[in-house]
Amino acid sequence: AVVSTQSGHYGREFRDMVSSVGAPSLVDVVSRLYNEYNTKTPQKLKIIDAYLGYIMITGVIQFVYCCLVGTFPFNSFLSGFISTVASFVLGVCLRIQSNPQNTAVFKDITVERAFADFIFAHCVLHLVVLNFIG
Amino acid sequence: SSGINAELPLRPGKCSVSTSGAEDVLKSELSSDSLKKIFKAVVALNNLGLDLGESVLPKAIDIAKKEDTVMAYSLAYIISSMYNEEVPQDLLDSVEDIAHRADTIGDALSFDGGLIETVMFLKGALACSVKAEKSLLNDEMIQKFSNYVLGNKYKQGLSNVFYLLSGLDVLSNNKLAVPTRIIILEDSNVMTRETEFIKLSVVDPLGQSIHTAKVTIKSSMSPLTGQSLFGKDPINSSTGEFLLPKITDRRGIYNLEVEGGVPTGYLAPANAKFPAKVVVEGKVSDGKLKLVDTDDNRVLLDSDLSQAPLQGKASLSTRFVLDFYVSDGAENIAIHQAFVRFTNVKTGQEVHFVAQADLTRKYTVDVHFRSSAAKAFKSVGGEYQVQLVLGDPTLVTSITKNVGSINLVLPESLIPASSPFPKPEITHVFREKEKRPPQVVSFVFTGLVFLPAVILLVMWGKLGANVSNFSFSLASVGFHVGLLTIMAIYVNFYLGVNMFTTMKCLSLVAVVTFLCGNRLLSSIASARKASK
């Protein structure tokens, strides 16, 4: 009985996948990912994801600018770019720690504590970045 | 009154100083409690030839014993020599004790107080010695004191000169124990072949010759040749003059060891060592100059130096050969320094080449211009004055003989190693500014960077992010205001406030923000837990 439930559980998706012609295409995978993301991700995490996307685009723009016009002054480019990178990392940390699916791993760290760490780290980061930006 | 106090040689007849009233003033000073004043009064009365009255010596001795300084005792000694009575025995005994307070530096003995204290002590001690008719200081001490006083010969200042002469005078004229030394007269230790005598003398500290002294030259050997000026045995002279035996080859440097013998009343001088040298007039003889072109073996110039000054032209292929002998009139000699000097007439540059002597004492200078042009002449051509320079301690004077002039022609390709003219000026080139992109590009990208923020707000709106749960508690307001303040501090920091001020403000605001945030977040957390 267990086996049949399992196969049934996996079987449905497997059948869906197999029902399309041959192996699943990239479009199918992406649309699948998109649907799952929209339905299964809590709102808070989506907010953080939007923020992460914003950070990434900002970093890419800075990098493109540097590629276009050269690295002078190098310290400014570095501080700006590393600011985006570090913000991204902190954002990812916040997302991981506030994901309800991970509460088993982060037993002692509440969401509020994660947020407080996020804010504090950002304060230090921006001080250093502003010092280095020249 | 003893003749030692000759510091004021008053001749009452010629000196028109009025001394009336002086006697009373001076006699009243005799009862002073200051030893210096008593001393000056006694000496003044003595010099003026006035009666000294009752002896103040016991009082002076008491004060000296109480003060127990070298100067105090010295004054007491001098005072004691002014009176006709005998010097008390305890004062005589103290002389040697005080003498032991002096310090020995090298072969000189002196007191801490320097020249003045030492001379005053010597005057006192020798005055008492003369009165007691025996020397109160031992010979070695007197000799060393004398060395010290003589060592101050070149000190400036009237006071120094006065005490120097006082000291030398008392040492030379005490007739009991006069220190002596041996000196050379008239620089007679520099002799030519014609010199007949070396003159030595035994003198007292003032430099006066002691005519009854005897001088002995113990040895007069040259360390280089082993020859002696006067033979191996010591020779004596009672006049201080030593007749030099005629040796044809006496040229050289000799070491004289001399001893002196003196009559009673004088201390024997220390054995002395003097250098002596016999010098000769040197002369360049048989000098020959040859200029040869080495490429085709052509002789450009071949002349002897009697035709000097000579003229010659030289190029890279020329060879310059100068031969000569140095003669002292009787034979060819070897000397310490023999070289040829080329002096550039225009730049003043000097180039030297050392002359080498062979076994027959013929000196040669051999210059190949091809090999020496770059290094020795530094590739600078032109007219050079050529001189022969000879020197030796046994020559009366050094010899500089003008040989002539050589015009050195160097090809243009030879770059002078160091031109006498200033090098081209180097102007500092400042670092070029980095290339910056056109301003338009920079502005476009600045705008582009802000664009994602707009997109983010739109996305958040679509996602349903809102601030409807915002509770206006103190902690909440405080936290958000604190964060905004921190951002404002950062903006200020970017605008130019220095790190110290920033950190100060930041630390204050951070504490407040932290406390508010802590309160706020924990209230949210507890609210969440309660609602679960």
Side-chain angles (χ1 to χ4, degrees), chain A residues 43 47 61 65 72 112 123, chain B residues 434 442 460 463-464 490 528:
Chain A
Q43 185 205 28
I47 291 174
I61 293 175
Y65 178 73
F72 185 80
E112 284 73 28
C123 286
Chain B
E434 295 269 348
S442 300
W460 273 352
L463 283 169
Y490 284 174
R528 187 164 56 83

Side-chain angles (χ1 to χ4, degrees), chain B residues 184-336:
Chain B
I184 297 183
L185 294 180
E186 295 168 20
D187 280 335
S188 54
N189 59 340
V190 177
M191 305 161 273
T192 66
R193 289 228 171 91
E194 284 69 43
T195 309
E196 291 183 310
F197 294 101
I198 284 189
K199 298 182 186 161
L200 302 167
S201 180
V202 182
V203 296
D204 68 11
L206 275 174
Q208 299 161 131
S209 286
I210 300 161
H211 297 291
T212 46
K214 202 171 66 149
V215 182
T216 307
I217 295 184
K218 283 205 311 204
S219 103
S220 57
M221 209 174 70
S222 162
L224 269 177
T225 63
Q227 237 188 0
S228 286
L229 263 183
F230 293 104
K232 298 260 184 299
D233 301 319
I235 60 173
N236 298 325
S237 166
S238 52
T239 58
E241 290 186 358
F242 294 85
L243 184 64
L244 288 162
K246 285 226 180 304
I247 312 167
T248 41
D249 185 19
R250 275 196 325 210
R251 184 181 71 101
I253 300 177
Y254 301 85
N255 289 334
L256 297 176
E257 284 178 22
V258 188
E259 253 180 13
V262 285
T264 46
Y266 294 93
L267 305 177
N271 294 350
K273 284 194 165 79
F274 299 109
K277 65 178 181 180
V278 179
V279 295
V280 295
E281 291 259 7
K283 201 164 74 193
V284 174
S285 78
D286 285 340
K288 283 196 192 41
L289 172 59
K290 236 176 25 180
L291 285 177
V292 180
D293 188 314
T294 52
D295 283 343
D296 45 11
N297 266 327
R298 204 164 29 104
V299 174
L300 301 167
L301 176 70
D302 187 354
S303 161
D304 68 48
L305 293 186
S306 57
Q307 309 287 335
L310 305 165
Q311 294 266 13
K313 205 147 103 143
S315 62
L316 271 186
S317 56
T318 310
R319 182 181 168 199
F320 171 105
V321 182
L322 181 63
D323 300 316
F324 58 94
Y325 291 90
V326 182
S327 160
D328 65 352
E331 56 163 12
N332 292 332
I333 57 176
I335 54 175
H336 282 182

Side-chain angles (χ1 to χ4, degrees), chain B residues 122-196:
Chain B
L122 281 174
K123 283 163 72 121
L126 288 170
C128 288
S129 302
V130 166
K131 246 193 142 192
E133 286 168 7
K134 72 165 182 347
S135 177
L136 294 168
L137 300 168
N138 65 43
D139 293 352
E140 195 190 337
M141 275 184 177
I142 296 184
Q143 187 71 268
K144 285 191 171 169
F145 276 125
S146 168
N147 290 340
Y148 171 74
V149 175
L150 272 170
N152 281 283
K153 221 171 20 172
Y154 298 108
K155 271 219 183 127
Q156 304 263 356
L158 275 180
S159 168
N160 280 323
V161 172
F162 173 79
Y163 281 100
L164 168 74
L165 289 174
S166 288
L168 294 178
D169 176 62
V170 74
L171 285 166
S172 305
N173 294 327
N174 65 70
K175 295 182 177 41
L176 255 188
V178 178
T180 61
R181 63 210 152 94
I182 307 175
I183 61 169
I184 297 183
L185 294 180
E186 295 168 20
D187 280 335
S188 54
N189 59 340
V190 177
M191 305 161 273
T192 66
R193 289 228 171 91
E194 284 69 43
T195 309
E196 291 183 310

Side-chain angles (χ1 to χ4, degrees), chain B residues 8-79:
Chain B
L8 278 177
L10 283 182
R11 302 177 185 84
K14 290 192 180 162
C15 191
S16 61
V17 173
S18 151
T19 57
S20 64
E23 187 169 356
D24 297 326
V25 172
L26 292 172
K27 283 246 169 83
S28 73
E29 286 295 307
L30 284 178
S31 43
S32 156
D33 282 327
S34 155
L35 188 53
K36 251 206 193 131
K37 288 196 179 159
I38 297 177
F39 164 78
K40 286 184 184 174
V42 170
V43 169
L45 285 168
N46 189 39
N47 284 340
L48 288 172
L50 298 169
D51 175 43
L52 291 169
E54 197 183 305
S55 170
V56 295
L57 187 57
K59 185 171 171 194
I61 296 177
D62 278 338
I63 301 177
K65 283 193 179 149
K66 225 187 315 209
E67 283 185 26
D68 196 29
T69 62
V70 174
M71 186 58 102
Y73 271 101
S74 307
L75 298 180
Y77 300 146
I78 299 177
I79 292 171

